[in-house]
């Protein structure tokens, strides 16, 4: 497993723990603002995870280019679009 995959999995596990915490907060009828704050933290965490994955794939694409330049350009364009959509 690559170091990037380990990093992504660790971040996903952390986000999973945060979501479980939010579920518990809702069960305990915690204040809405507290729940929203935690949901915002999870959203930020997921955004960072997506960024790591896109950056890794883009780096791989540039370091190991496709023989077909059109395919290569398409992959790079997809990665840029994913970054822009954030």
């Amino acid at each position: 497993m690559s170091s990037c995959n380990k990093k992504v999995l660790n971040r996903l596990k952390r986000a999973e723990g945060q979501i479980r915490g939010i579920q518990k907060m809702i069960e305990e009828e915690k204040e809405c603002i507290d729940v929203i704050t935690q949901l915002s933290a999870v959203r930020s965490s997921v955004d960072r995870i997506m960024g790591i994955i896109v950056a890794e794939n883009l780096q791989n694409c540039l370091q190991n280019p496709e023989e077909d330049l059109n395919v290569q350009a398409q992959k790079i364009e997809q990665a840029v679009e994913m970054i822009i959509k954030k």
Side-chain angles (χ1 to χ4, degrees), residues 54 58 73-86:
V54 170
L58 184 56
Q74 185 179 14
K75 285 184 175 183
I76 292 171
E77 185 177 331
Q78 280 180 322
V80 170
E81 285 298 318
M82 286 182 192
I83 293 168
I84 292 171
K85 285 182 181 179
K86 287 179 72 175

Side-chain angles (χ1 to χ4, degrees), residues 11-60:
R11 287 179 179 263
L12 285 170
K13 288 176 184 178
R14 198 172 317 135
E16 179 182 25
Q18 287 176 300
I19 290 172
R20 285 191 183 133
I22 294 167
Q23 290 170 337
K24 185 175 179 183
M25 290 174 72
I26 291 171
E27 289 169 355
E28 295 173 353
E29 298 183 2
K30 296 292 182 180
E31 292 292 322
C32 178
I33 189 68
D34 296 332
V35 173
I36 297 301
T37 299
Q38 291 305 310
L39 285 169
S40 179
V42 170
R43 180 172 47 194
S44 294
S45 178
V46 170
D47 284 345
R48 281 192 299 276
I49 294 166
M50 290 170 56
I52 290 169
I53 292 169
V54 170
E56 180 72 17
N57 285 330
L58 184 56
Q59 183 178 17
N60 184 49

